[in-house]
Amino acid sequence: VGAGRKTKADDVTGRLWVEKGEGRIGLIAEVAPTIHVHRTYSYAVPDELANQVSVGRQVIVPIGRRGRPVTGFVVAIDRGTWDSTLRPLQNLAGGAEGLAPELVALGQELSAHYGSRLGTTLKAMAPEAVRRERGLKTVRWVRLTGRNESDSVTDRPPGAKARSVLEALQAAQGSMPVRELLAQCKVSASVIHTLVRKGRIEVVARKMPAEMDIRAGSPVEPSFSLTAEQRQAVENLSGRIDRREFAAVLLFGVSGSGKTEVYIHAIQHVLKAGRQAILLVPEIMLTTQLLQRISSRLPRVAVSHSGLSESQRAVLWRRAAAGVDQVIVGTRSAVFAPCPDLGLIIVDEEQEGSYKNLREPRFHVRDAAWMRARRRNIPLILGSATPSLETWHRSQRDPSVGTIVLRHRVLELPMPTVHVVDMRDECLEKGENVVLSRVLIRLLSESLDRNEQAMILMNRRGFAHRVYCPGCNTRLSCPNCNVGLVMHSASGTSLCHYCRTRMPTPTVCPNSTCGSKLVHHGAGTQKVEELLRGRFPKARMQRVDSDTMKHRDQYQSIIDQFADRRLDVLIGTQMIAKGLDFPAVSFVGIVDAEATGLAADFRAHERLFQLVTQTAGRAGRADTPGRVVVQTMSPHLPALRYALRHDYESFASQELGLREGIGWPPVRQLARIVLSHTREEQVRQAAESLCVQVRTLIGEKEFGAVEILGPQPCVLSRLRGRYRYDLLLRASQAAILQSLVQRLNDARLLRCKGGSIMLDVDPVSLV
DNA sequence: AGCACGCCGACT
DNA sequence: GTCGGCGTGCTC
C-alpha cells in the first residue's frame, strides 16, 4: 500500500495514506453509523479529538467513496496501528453526554437479539433532544453593571419605578431574569430600556436548562402497614438490592393485593442507599392512579410521558444522569434512563402488549429491562395479576427466576361473582341480534338503584363493525386495506381503523346494479352508549375510548368525575379495564368477550383471559361485593371458564400445554419477516425466493432445528395499499434464532426489491 | 439511506 | 456510437 496505488477517488475521500512501511499508532474508534448497514466501521481518531472521544459519544464520520458525512455512535476505542484504508473521524456531534458505556453494551445486546442495526438501536435509546443538545433555552437576564448615577451627571436621578427595579436586583445579588423582574416590580420594558441606556444595567442571554413541571400538590397518602405477604416480599427484594444481586422476580398478585405498596417499599429501600429506580408502566394516561400514589409517597419522581416537549425530555434525561431525580417513571424509553447507580427496575403490568416497540429496534421492554438488570446486578420486579405466559413459563422452569405470590386481597375482599351469558340463546329467544342481555340490564339497573357505580366494557370503538349489502352480499370495506370500514356515530362517517381512511357512510349499495339499502351489524362502544342512554335516561354516563379521549386532560377529568361520583357509568374500551381503582363500582359488564379478536393469533385466548380477569377485578372493591357479567358467543372456552373462577394457574398450564403441542411461544421462539409491495405478484415472488434462500441456509449447518412457516399472505393481507406476505422462523432456542437472524443480515438477504421488509423477533402480533 | 457502477434501450 | 434508464451492491 503506498502512493503508487493512490487513485483519484482517494483524493476526493481524503484518506490518510501512509507510505509503504510506515505505520502510525493512534486511537482507532469503532463507529456504528445511523444508516442502513448491519456493521460497524473503524476510524482514526485525530489527535485534537483524542481526549473528547469516548464510548457512547456521537461523531460524524465519512462514509462511501465520496465521504458523505453521517452521524454514528462510538462503540469501542482501541489503540492500534493505522493502515492505509483508515479514514479519520470528522467531528463530534450531539451533546457532550453521549450514551453511558453501560447503555452502549445494552444496545449491542438488544441489536444482537432483535437483529436491529446497532446505530439505529443506539439512536432510539437516547432522546432526540439530547442527541441534538437541545433542552437548553435562552433566557434573558438583567444584571447590575455596578456603575452608579454619579457617573452621568446630566441624567435625572432614577424615578420610583426605576428604583424599585434596582432594589429588586440588589436583593437578588445583582441579576435576575427579565420576565421575573418585570412581573415582580410591575413595570414595563421601557423602564429596563432606560436603565440600560443609562448604563446602570445590562441584558445578557444565558442558556438555562428548561424547567420541568414538577408534579406537586398530590395529597400525601398514608403509608399502609404491610400484610405479612407484602412484608416478606419487600424483605426478599431488599436483600437482593443490598447484595447487588440480579434476579427477575415475578410479583404475582390479584388486583387489590397491594403490588403498588410493595413497589413503593422496594423503591424506598433503593433510595435510602442513595441509588435510583426505574418504574415502567404500559401507558402513562392509563396509570394516573398509580402515578399519584407513587409521587405522593416518594421524593424526586420524574415522569416521562409522550406529552413532554423535546426539551423537557432532555432535562429529564440530564436530571436522571445527574442522579437528581431518583425515581424515573415512564413508558418504553424510560428503560434506558441514564441513572448513574441504578438499584431496581420494576415493570408494572408486565403482560401488556404495548411494551413491545413497533419500530426498529422492535424490542420488548420487559426483555430490555431483564438485560439491563442482569448487566447491573440488580433485581427486576415483573408485576402482574395475569402474567404473560412468557414470564410464567420462565418462572416455572428457571430456578433463578423468583416468584412472589400475593394471594390475599389487602382487606380480605371477596372476589367478585362472574356470570357468563350465552348470547346465542339470548338472540334465539329474541329472534334478533341482541347487544345487551337481560341479565346485564337487570344487574346494572340494580346497581344504579343502590346508588353504586358501574363499568361497561366493549372492546371495539365505533357504532357498527359490519356495514353490508343484503342484496349482493358485499361488505363496505377499505379501499387501501382488506378490512371492513367501521361506521362511526349513527349518521356520519365510516373509517378504517388501520389506515384512517374516512368516508361518508353510503345508505344504499355502492354497486350501481344493486342499489339495495345497506344494513349494519356488530356493535361498538357508540352503539352500546346509545342503547344504554335509551334504557337508563337518568343515569350519568360517559363513553371512554380513543374517540372521546383525545387528550390526557380529558381522560383525567373523566376519571376525577367518576371518582367524585359525578358519573354513574363508564362505557369504554380496555382503557377502562386497566389500573383503575374505584371503591363504589359494584357492577362490571363485558358486552362482547370475543372482541379481543379470537381468530387473530395464538395469543387470543391469553388476551381474553387477561381482559376478563382484569375487568372483573374492577368490581367490588372496599366493602361492596362485586358482580360481573360476561356476554359471549362461546361460553365454553377454557379461557372464560378459568377466568370466572379467577384461576390463573390452571389456565396457564392448560394454555402452555396447547402452545407446546403446536410449538408456539413461549415454548418455542419465533421471528417474523413481513414483506410488502404495491404489487401482489412481486411480493409473493420475493417472499418465495427469500424462503428458498433461508432454506438453503438452514439446510447447511447449525440451524438444522429451525423451521420455516410460510410464506403466506398476512392476516392483514393488504395495508395502506400494499400487499403483505410473511414468513415465520421457529426455533427451540433463542440463541439459534439469533444466530440465524445474524446470518440473514450479514448475507443481506432481508430485502424486497421495490418494496419493503420488516424483521420482528419475538413478535407480539402476527397480524 | 445515498451513491456509484453496470448493463439495457433511444437517440444523434 | 453516446446518453441515460434504474437494478444491484457497498460504505472503514
Side-chain angles (χ1 to χ4, degrees):
Chain A
V1 179
R5 271 178 51 194
K6 194 164 164 175
T7 67
K8 196 178 172 191
D10 299 313
D11 287 335
V12 177
T13 62
R15 283 188 179 164
L16 296 184
W17 289 92
V18 177
E19 294 303 323
K20 199 177 253 169
E22 195 184 326
R24 284 190 206 165
I25 292 182
L27 294 182
I28 299 173
E30 201 64 17
V31 174
T34 51
I35 58 170
H36 215 101
V37 290
H38 277 280
R39 46 165 307 188
T40 60
Y41 297 92
S42 309
Y43 291 89
V45 181
D47 292 341
E48 63 271 24
L49 297 178
N51 45 20
Q52 295 170 71
V53 173
S54 55
V55 169
R57 279 235 38 177
Q58 272 191 102
V59 290
I60 311 266
V61 291
I63 273 278
R65 207 171 257 269
R66 294 270 306 268
R68 180 172 59 99
V70 300
T71 60
F73 288 85
V74 175
V75 295
I77 300 175
D78 288 309
R79 181 163 285 279
T81 312
W82 295 356
D83 87 331
S84 59
T85 58
L86 201 66
R87 287 162 155 186
L89 59 82
Q90 273 170 12
N91 213 339
L92 302 168
E97 299 98 337
L99 275 176
E102 174 218 345
L103 291 171
V104 173
L106 175 61
Q108 283 169 316
E109 193 175 345
L110 285 168
S111 158
H113 182 88
Y114 291 102
S116 59
R117 288 161 281 172
L118 183 54
T120 312
T121 306
L122 295 173
K123 193 175 159 190
M125 295 173 72
E128 177 74 12
V130 174
R131 296 199 312 272
R132 300 221 311 255
E133 202 162 28
R134 290 255 228 77
L136 300 171
K137 69 177 174 195
T138 311
V139 178
R140 293 192 308 147
W141 282 59
V142 182
R143 198 164 67 188
L144 287 171
T145 56
R147 274 176 281 164
N148 62 30
E149 47 219 294
S150 63
D151 289 349
S152 42
V153 193
T154 52
D155 283 348
R156 282 181 297 170
K161 294 233 166 147
R163 268 207 309 279
S164 79
V165 166
L166 294 172
E167 276 160 20
L169 282 169
Q170 296 282 354
Q173 269 102 44
S175 68
M176 62 196 291
V178 175
R179 286 178 69 107
E180 231 174 272
L181 186 64
L182 294 179
Q184 193 181 317
C185 304
K186 297 195 177 63
V187 298
S188 73
S190 73
V191 180
I192 306 284
H193 289 146
T194 311
L195 286 168
V196 171
R197 222 176 31 247
K198 288 183 178 175
R200 299 290 302 275
I201 60 174
E202 60 190 359
V203 176
V204 288
R206 279 190 201 169
K207 295 252 180 196
M208 299 282 295
E211 269 308 305
M212 291 275 300
D213 57 327
I214 303 296
R215 167 181 290 275
S218 16
V220 174
E221 202 186 52
S223 181
F224 297 109
S225 54
L226 298 179
T227 63
E229 273 184 336
Q230 288 173 321
R231 202 165 47 246
Q232 219 177 341
V234 170
E235 277 163 17
N236 178 326
L237 289 161
S238 300
R240 295 180 194 270
I241 292 165
D242 293 340
R243 294 194 298 275
R244 296 193 180 246
E245 179 180 305
F246 164 69
V249 176
L250 167 61
L251 183 61
F252 176 27
V254 296
S255 55
S257 62
K259 293 190 289 292
T260 309
E261 204 55 31
V262 174
Y263 298 164
I264 290 173
H265 280 81
I267 295 174
Q268 279 170 340
H269 191 84
V270 168
L271 299 189
K272 256 185 265 159
R275 300 165 72 190
Q276 303 89 38
I278 296 175
L279 169 60
L280 297 156
V281 294
E283 203 192 324
I284 292 284
M285 190 169 93
L286 307 181
T287 318
T288 46
Q289 288 187 332
L290 172 65
L291 281 183
Q292 274 168 6
R293 288 181 63 188
I294 296 283
S295 56
S296 73
R297 296 273 299 282
L298 297 167
R300 297 193 280 181
V301 176
V303 182
S304 162
H305 55 84
S306 60
L308 290 183
S309 69
E310 282 289 275
S311 51
Q312 285 173 317
R313 210 175 291 280
V315 170
L316 188 138
W317 188 270
R318 291 202 182 93
R319 287 168 49 148
V324 176
D325 287 330
Q326 290 179 290
V327 184
I328 310 297
V329 183
T331 49
R332 289 190 294 264
S333 60
V335 75
F336 305 125
C339 304
D341 189 8
L342 193 59
L344 174 68
I345 307 179
I346 301 170
V347 183
D348 187 37
E349 303 291 347
E350 66 82 29
Q351 79 288 352
E352 277 293 315
S354 63
Y355 278 133
K356 175 88 179 184
N357 203 23
L358 296 178
R359 297 207 314 256
E360 188 187 353
R362 294 187 172 76
F363 65 91
H364 196 294
V365 166
R366 180 217 305 130
D367 300 319
W370 195 299
M371 292 176 192
R372 190 167 184 196
R374 193 169 43 205
R375 296 184 161 276
R376 305 234 41 163
N377 290 316
I378 59 175
L380 165 70
I381 304 179
L382 305 174
S384 183
T386 51
S388 63
L389 285 183
E390 278 75 6
T391 297
W392 182 253
H393 188 233
R394 279 203 241 190
S395 78
Q396 296 288 295
R397 52 186 302 214
D398 182 346
S400 72
V401 178
T403 306
I404 298 176
V405 186
L406 301 177
R407 286 191 191 281
H408 306 288
R409 296 180 114 186
V410 172
L411 302 169
E412 295 293 338
L413 298 174
M415 294 304 281
T417 54
V418 184
H419 307 265
V420 173
V421 179
D422 187 341
M423 291 306 281
R424 293 171 303 185
D425 294 347
E426 200 82 9
C427 294
L428 264 169
E429 282 181 45
K430 266 291 198 69
E432 60 178 43
N433 264 316
V434 177
V435 178
L436 302 172
S437 64
R438 289 159 298 179
V439 183
L440 189 146
I441 297 284
R442 197 186 76 230
L443 294 185
L444 172 57
S445 138
E446 285 175 15
S447 269
L448 292 173
D449 288 346
R450 286 198 304 269
N451 212 14
E452 292 159 356
Q453 290 178 302
M455 289 180 162
I456 306 295
L457 185 109
M458 176 59 187
N459 206 17
R460 267 203 236 114
R461 331 182 260 125
F463 190 84
H465 277 255
R466 268 196 351 269
V467 182
Y468 76 95
C469 169
C472 57
N473 214 14
T474 52
R475 182 179 180 184
L476 184 65
S477 57
C478 178
N480 307 314
C481 313
N482 78 329
V483 294
L485 291 180
V486 178
M487 182 175 167
H488 273 243
S489 69
S491 52
T493 55
S494 282
L495 70 109
C496 173
H497 282 185
Y498 289 92
C499 75
R500 302 198 182 149
T501 292
R502 177 179 286 273
M503 63 171 70
T505 310
T507 48
V508 295
C509 182
N511 186 346
S512 54
T513 56
C514 175
S516 317
K517 199 159 184 288
L518 293 180
V519 295
H520 46 81
H521 287 301
T525 46
Q526 292 179 355
K527 177 78 176 177
V528 171
E529 182 188 15
E530 190 188 271
L531 291 170
L532 286 174
R533 282 193 192 279
R535 196 71 180 61
F536 302 98
K538 291 213 193 89
R540 294 162 300 174
M541 299 182 182
Q542 173 66 47
R543 176 159 58 90
V544 179
D545 55 27
S546 57
D547 297 315
T548 55
M549 301 294 118
K550 298 275 187 222
H551 241 279
R552 195 171 130 71
D553 301 344
Q554 291 171 312
Y555 181 75
Q556 188 57 54
S557 139
I558 299 306
I559 297 310
D560 292 345
Q561 287 178 42
F562 195 63
D564 293 349
R565 309 289 300 269
R566 283 178 283 141
L567 286 170
D568 304 311
V569 183
L570 289 187
I571 303 158
T573 54
Q574 52 184 327
M575 254 185 193
I576 60 169
K578 307 192 173 182
L580 298 174
D581 197 348
F582 300 107
V585 172
S586 64
F587 177 68
V588 168
I590 301 176
V591 176
D592 183 359
E594 284 94 332
T596 46
L598 275 187
D601 60 69
F602 65 88
R603 271 184 258 260
H605 293 120
E606 187 181 357
R607 283 198 303 270
L608 175 63
F609 180 86
Q610 287 167 350
L611 185 78
V612 173
T613 308
Q614 281 168 8
T615 312
R618 305 299 123 218
R621 319 296 295 244
D623 47 3
T624 325
R627 294 200 280 189
V628 177
V629 164
V630 181
Q631 298 187 166
T632 178
M633 293 286 191
S634 9
H636 301 299
L637 285 178
L640 276 180
R641 282 205 336 264
Y642 292 117
L644 61 99
R645 298 208 312 257
H646 318 287
D647 186 357
Y648 175 84
E649 296 189 25
S650 302
F651 168 73
S653 70
Q654 185 260 170
E655 180 72 12
L656 274 176
L658 285 179
R659 302 263 183 104
E660 181 158 25
I662 37 182
W664 287 122
V667 185
R668 302 239 209 138
Q669 312 294 315
L670 275 189
R672 180 179 186 229
I673 300 169
V674 179
L675 299 94
S676 68
H677 196 286
T678 48
R679 291 182 50 202
E680 183 169 19
E681 186 51 28
Q682 302 272 320
V683 67
R684 211 202 79 239
Q685 277 175 19
E688 273 165 8
S689 95
L690 173 63
C691 182
V692 169
Q693 286 169 301
V694 176
R695 193 153 278 143
T696 47
L697 203 58
I698 65 178
E700 75 186 36
K701 35 170 61 184
E702 72 266 31
F703 309 122
V706 179
E707 293 166 82
I708 306 177
L709 310 176
Q712 64 240 316
C714 296
V715 173
L716 193 54
S717 63
R718 198 161 79 102
L719 177 65
R720 287 184 258 276
R722 296 162 76 95
Y723 292 90
R724 308 164 77 237
Y725 270 69
D726 69 2
L727 193 64
L728 293 174
L729 305 178
R730 183 161 77 173
S732 53
Q733 285 167 51
I736 296 175
L737 207 53
Q738 184 174 320
S739 51
L740 175 61
V741 160
Q742 195 188 327
R743 280 289 296 277
L744 291 172
N745 278 329
D746 289 348
R748 282 185 281 254
L749 289 177
L750 295 184
R751 300 189 299 171
C752 175
K753 61 177 180 181
S756 52
I757 194 161
M758 181 205 77
L759 168 69
D760 192 359
V761 175
D762 305 335
V764 156
S765 159
L766 298 183
V767 176

